[in-house]
Structure formats: C-alpha cells, structure tokens
C-alpha cells in the first residue's frame, strides 16, 4: 500500500435566495449575502488540487467560479446533493412548528425514526454520502481537495470520521452557512486513519 496523506476541506454553501428554510432538493441559487459569505470564507493562501461539488446551484455556481479563477479541475457528484426533506421543503421551521408542534424536536433528536413526510430515509442518505466520500478519498489520495456541499452532507461525513451514531448525526454538530471543516486521511501499510482537524473555521 502506498503511503499518502489526503486533506479534504468541506464547505457548506452560503445563504440561498429565499432565506432560511428546509430546502433539501429545492434548487435555489445563492443570495447576494450567500455569495459574500462564500467569497469571505476562502483566502488567497488556500491551496487545492481539485474542487468537488454538489450539483445544486447554491453549491455548484460558487464551485465553478472558484475552480475557474484558480484553474482547478472541477468534479460534480450527484451523491453530494442535500437530503430530501419531502413535505417540509420550501417551508420554514416556524411554519412547521405552528402546524405540528414538537415535530422538529423529534426530528433533531432522532432523524432516523422521525422523518419528514415523504423525506429521504436517513440511512439511504448516509449510504450515498459515504459512497461519495470513499470514492473521493481514494480518487484524490495524496491531494488537497475542496468539497462544496450541504449541512446534511457535512454532518454525514463528520459523523463517519468521528464515529457519531446515525441517530445523533444531525444534532451533534452545528454547520452554519459557509462553515468550513478539514479532515485529514493518512493511509499507510498499517491501514487508514481519518481525523477531524478543524470545524467551523
């Protein structure tokens, strides 16, 4: 086995047009503030070998701009799209709570059991995100990569790295707009070791 160190920076998209709501698969672009948040989160000293992005506009448009400006390869991976929130998509938390009190509390405490009506099962979401994660950590072994994606995707990746149970994965970590996390994967003859280097910066 070839020894290698891979660094993966995960960044959540900025604020989308329409403001905070359960958006999921709804494909809104970034707001003006969202663009500011994303551009402010990237520095001139950041270095990557490639950019990987969700296909949804709130991620993809910024990834395209960054990759073009820095002349980096850009890969679009459909497995990195956000979880579908079913009937909650396009609705605010306040609107949902006004109609069905305590439903969000139950979802955040145990999203495996308390799915939104018509929502994507969390185990299926975990599986597709895990497949993407495993693919890119092998495909980009030894490189530094930027992954532009969603809060739910980042929660799944970090839960995998940190050993957080699936039913606690949504409540365990806050992932605000333009939040950055860094994971290092060390591969050697002794195996593969992944660790979270930073979160929220």
């Amino acid at each position: 086995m070839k020894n290698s160190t891979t660094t993966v920076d995960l960044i959540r998209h900025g604020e989308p047009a329409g403001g905070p709501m359960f958006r999921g698969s709804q494909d809104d672009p970034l707001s003006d503030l969202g663009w500011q948040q994303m551009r402010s989160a990237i520095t001139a000293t950041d270095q990557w070998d490639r950019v990987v992005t969700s296909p949804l506009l709130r991620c993809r448009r910024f990834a395209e701009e960054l990759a073009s400006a820095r002349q980096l390869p850009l890969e679009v991976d459909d497995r990195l799209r956000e979880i579908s929130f079913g009937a909650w998509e396009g609705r605010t938390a306040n609107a949902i709570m006004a109609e069905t009190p305590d439903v969000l509390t139950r979802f955040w405490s145990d999203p495996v059991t308390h799915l939104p009506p018509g929502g994507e099962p969390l185990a299926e979401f975990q599986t597709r995100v895990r497949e993407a994660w495993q693919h890119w950590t092998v495909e980009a072994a030894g490189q530094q990569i930027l992954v532009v994606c969603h809060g739910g995707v980042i929660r799944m990746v970090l839960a995998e790295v940190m050993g957080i149970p699936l039913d606690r994965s949504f409540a365990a970590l806050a992932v605000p707009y333009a939040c950055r996390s860094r994971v290092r994967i060390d591969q050697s003859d002794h195996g593969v070791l992944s660790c979270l280097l930073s979160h929220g910066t």
Side-chain angles (χ1 to χ4, degrees):
M1 178 182 294
K2 182 180 179 180
N3 293 354
S4 66
T5 296
T6 308
T7 303
V8 183
D9 287 327
L10 302 137
I11 185 168
R12 186 189 177 194
H13 59 79
E15 178 194 77
M21 66 176 70
F22 282 92
R23 194 163 267 102
S25 59
Q26 185 171 303
D27 201 9
D28 296 328
L30 290 174
S31 67
D32 289 343
L33 175 60
W35 277 104
Q36 293 173 20
Q37 290 168 334
M38 294 300 282
R39 289 166 178 157
S40 296
I42 303 300
T43 71
T45 58
D46 285 319
Q47 295 185 356
W48 297 289
D49 297 298
R50 68 171 76 192
V51 179
V52 182
T53 183
S54 158
L56 298 181
L57 292 175
R58 56 191 184 271
C59 298
R60 182 171 180 165
R61 291 293 179 256
F62 173 76
E64 290 172 340
E65 176 187 85
L66 180 66
S68 176
R70 302 203 177 187
Q71 298 183 322
L72 297 173
L74 176 66
E75 310 281 355
V76 180
D77 191 331
D78 189 61
R79 295 170 295 187
L80 296 174
R81 69 190 186 281
E82 182 61 291
I83 189 170
S84 170
F85 288 109
W88 291 358
E89 294 200 354
R91 305 189 67 198
T92 66
N94 287 341
I96 294 168
M97 291 296 285
E99 184 177 294
T100 50
D102 300 326
V103 68
L104 288 183
T105 301
R106 293 195 298 270
F107 169 74
W108 288 112
S109 64
D110 183 5
V112 176
T113 304
H114 300 288
L115 277 176
E120 181 179 6
L122 195 62
E124 293 181 12
F125 177 55
Q126 179 192 48
T127 295
R128 68 172 167 86
V129 172
R130 180 184 287 153
E131 288 175 353
W133 177 250
Q134 292 174 345
H135 170 83
W136 290 111
T137 54
V138 172
E139 177 71 18
Q143 297 183 356
Q144 297 183 57
I145 68 173
L146 176 67
V147 179
V148 186
C149 55
H150 307 271
V153 172
I154 293 172
R155 288 183 173 97
M156 290 299 101
V157 170
L158 298 189
E160 177 87 2
V161 171
M162 300 171 68
I164 298 170
L166 183 60
D167 62 356
R168 299 294 302 158
S169 58
F170 267 66
L173 294 164
V175 187
Y177 291 139
C179 175
R180 286 180 59 168
S181 306
R182 174 168 288 185
V183 176
R184 188 179 72 197
I185 304 102
D186 293 308
Q187 180 175 300
S188 71
D189 293 335
H190 302 290
V192 178
L193 176 64
S194 299
C195 64
L196 177 64
L197 297 182
S198 64
H199 175 68
T201 56

